[in-house]
Amino acid sequence: MTVETVIANGTLVTEHGTREGALAIDEGRIVAVGKRDRLPVADTVVDATGQLVMPGVVDPHVHVGDHVSLDTYETASKAAALGGVTTFIDFAWQGFDGDAGPDPEVSLLEGIADKRSRAAASVVDFGLHAGLLREDPAAFDSFPDLVEAGVTSVKMYTAYEFGLSHGFIRRALDRLADHGIVALFHTEDDSICEALTEELRAAGRTDERWYPRSRPDYTEAIAANAAARIAREVGAKYYGVHTSCEEAADVLAAHRDDGTRIRAETCTHYTALTDERYESDGALPRIAPPLRTAADRDALFEHLRRGSLQVVSTDHVAQSAATKTASNWWEGPYGANGLQRSLQVFQDEAVAERGLSYPFVVRVMCANPARTFGLPNKGTLDPGTDADIVLFDPTASDEITAGENASVADYSLYEGRQVTGRVTKTFVRGELVADDGAVVGTPGHGRFVERTVPEWTA
């Protein structure tokens, strides 16, 4: 038997540990893992001496090609490939036409069709979350069709003009629970945030450093507590997106009585940066929820270590520096790009700075997000699964600069940061898509991944 590729002489990293070994790839799948001399002959042998061989990162929280992000699927997926992200999950919105903007006639299923039509040039694999943006009970009837379409998660907001009431959230969660669909929540108490914003504006607090005070940590915790409590009462799967602070993380940990139906993520920027950046970088780090304190950052790592937070994502949003700096802090746009640097920055913070392990990194960036969102063939090096593989040099040094961005975003929150560790090669289903800082994959190689309804266990 001859296989297409063998990756040899590296250190294999899974969520369970590390070992020296090799793996064989054929027809897009990992077909064997073991000692090099026991694997099949290969057409191509990739020498991974001195490098880590990791599963591709699964980023379950990105925004691409819509009303909040300037990236196309081609530019975002190229950034992903360079950053070792082999699968990401984007959002398909109810009530939004990708060309014309807000349109209340657009259904959840039409939003999914629209996003899939925009993804033909993706270099990496992708999935979709549906997004409920208005209180329309008729949308509940489409939930079985979402599952049939491989979209097994639905996002809701408690803030902004499309925030939903507790009454509607309860009805939606009750129906989502019937189908095992995961409910994602952006949680901030909108009424308090709006009131604080008006108070700060009236007092002339227009400098960007006042922005975090308009969305304090307790507003996130209040909303997370309410939404998670409702989810528990109706037996729905709850997933908290972009958990930014100790108070919100503590709330969600307290709801995890059985360890199954309450899960949450944080984002790379919350683990690597603090609110001091509003003094130095102005509008560029304007994200929602805001960057928090160093104590919050430490607490997030402790929750990740204990498993009460399970996932690290990017919440990738591509904007230009000019757009961010041209508006007031209460006007937006919000968000920051992160796909290309997330693995590099997070592992530097987790491993080099805090002494955590590479299996820990794989657990929260690869294995857990794949399990959480019904991607059994992703986030692992197990034989029979997709050959989504990252080669990572843990000793390389690098200085981050936005001049290397593949995303259309022309700035980086990590500009000038010196990091240890670098992605050297990224494979998606066995095809080399990024090599030594260059995108070599073919636009269109990426596929839409139909996700299963996940079985959440402790």
Side-chain angles (χ1 to χ4, degrees):
M1 174 185 178
T2 300
V3 298
E4 294 168 359
T5 307
V6 163
I7 299 176
N9 307 321
T11 300
L12 307 183
V13 186
T14 71
E15 63 177 319
H16 303 298
T18 63
R19 64 173 171 139
E20 302 307 306
L23 53 82
I25 301 167
D26 202 56
E27 296 184 348
R29 296 268 178 147
I30 299 170
V31 295
V33 178
K35 294 183 177 180
R36 172 68 186 96
D37 58 5
R38 296 185 181 181
L39 296 187
V41 174
D43 295 330
T44 301
V45 176
V46 177
D47 183 8
T49 298
Q51 300 195 61
L52 307 178
V53 181
M54 306 165 61
V57 171
V58 177
D59 189 337
H61 188 171
V62 307
H63 298 268
V64 182
D66 58 23
H67 55 303
V68 299
S69 182
L70 301 178
D71 264 330
T72 65
Y73 264 78
E74 182 171 354
T75 57
S77 67
K78 286 180 175 180
L82 291 169
V85 178
T86 54
T87 306
F88 59 66
I89 309 180
D90 184 23
F91 295 91
W93 303 108
Q94 172 198 50
F96 182 80
D97 182 295
D99 293 315
D103 182 348
E105 299 303 314
V106 175
S107 69
L108 286 173
L109 291 172
E110 289 168 333
I112 291 166
D114 175 72
K115 267 299 176 81
R116 289 194 61 176
S117 73
R118 297 172 184 279
S122 186
V123 175
V124 304
D125 287 352
F126 66 96
L128 292 170
H129 306 290
L132 277 173
L133 298 182
R134 65 177 185 271
E135 298 197 0
D136 178 13
F140 302 162
D141 295 334
S142 67
F143 288 171
D145 297 320
L146 295 182
V147 174
E148 184 68 22
V151 177
T152 56
S153 48
V154 172
K155 185 178 183 181
M156 290 172 272
Y157 289 80
T158 66
Y160 311 118
E161 65 275 14
F162 37 79
L164 305 174
S165 69
H166 288 166
F168 183 81
I169 286 171
R170 187 204 63 79
R171 294 179 67 188
L173 284 171
D174 194 38
R175 295 291 294 274
L176 291 170
D178 290 341
H179 304 286
I181 296 171
V182 178
L184 287 74
F185 276 93
H186 174 124
T187 52
E188 295 175 287
D189 187 285
D190 194 58
S191 61
I192 299 176
C193 292
E194 288 297 316
L196 289 170
T197 297
E198 289 309 308
E199 290 174 16
L200 290 167
R201 290 180 63 186
R205 310 299 194 190
T206 59
D207 187 85
E208 199 74 32
R209 64 191 174 91
W210 294 98
Y211 166 64
R213 304 192 192 190
S214 72
R215 313 187 85 86
D217 56 358
Y218 67 87
T219 66
E220 184 181 346
I222 288 169
N225 184 54
R229 177 61 184 269
I230 297 169
R232 285 185 61 189
E233 291 295 332
V234 302
K237 297 187 183 92
Y238 174 100
Y239 182 87
V241 301
H242 50 47
T243 307
S244 71
C245 60
E246 182 175 15
E247 287 215 17
D250 286 349
V251 160
L252 294 176
H255 279 292
R256 284 177 53 82
D257 287 352
D258 62 0
T260 56
R261 288 198 177 94
I262 304 294
R263 298 190 180 186
E265 68 180 26
T266 187
C267 300
T268 304
H269 41 259
Y270 298 124
T271 67
L273 305 172
T274 70
D275 55 3
E276 293 177 351
R277 297 301 287 268
Y278 293 106
E279 297 277 359
S280 60
D281 292 1
L284 296 184
R286 188 193 302 153
I287 55 179
L291 297 174
R292 305 295 190 185
T293 68
D296 286 305
R297 182 176 60 181
D298 292 343
L300 293 175
F301 267 104
E302 180 59 20
H303 278 281
L304 286 168
R305 189 190 63 79
R306 296 201 319 245
S308 44
L309 290 176
Q310 297 79 34
V311 171
V312 174
S313 74
T314 61
D315 191 7
H316 175 89
V317 174
Q319 289 289 337
S320 68
T323 302
K324 293 294 285 283
T325 56
S327 58
N328 296 307
W329 60 255
W330 56 87
E331 297 173 322
Y334 304 101
N337 64 92
L339 273 167
Q340 189 167 331
R341 299 297 187 175
S342 181
L343 172 59
Q344 190 176 35
V345 169
F346 181 74
Q347 67 80 37
D348 183 68
E349 184 71 33
V351 180
E353 298 296 327
R354 295 174 182 265
L356 294 164
S357 68
Y358 280 103
F360 166 83
V361 173
V362 168
R363 181 163 62 253
V364 298
M365 300 193 82
C366 310
N368 280 352
R371 265 194 301 268
T372 298
F373 289 105
L375 292 164
N377 289 315
K378 304 294 186 182
T380 175
L381 297 181
D382 291 345
T385 60
D386 288 348
D388 295 349
I389 297 164
V390 173
L391 270 59
F392 191 87
D393 184 345
T395 64
S397 60
D398 208 2
E399 179 177 329
I400 295 176
T401 174
E404 297 175 352
N405 283 2
S407 166
V408 299
D410 58 356
Y411 70 95
S412 172
L413 295 187
Y414 312 110
E415 185 71 36
R417 178 171 177 145
Q418 299 284 338
V419 293
T420 300
R422 179 190 303 144
V423 174
T424 61
K425 295 182 187 293
T426 304
F427 297 83
V428 175
R429 285 176 284 104
E431 178 172 310
L432 184 64
V433 296
D435 188 13
D436 197 25
V439 177
V440 297
T442 304
H445 175 69
R447 295 177 182 171
F448 174 70
V449 183
E450 293 188 4
R451 294 181 289 120
T452 63
V453 173
E455 293 292 332
W456 285 11
T457 57

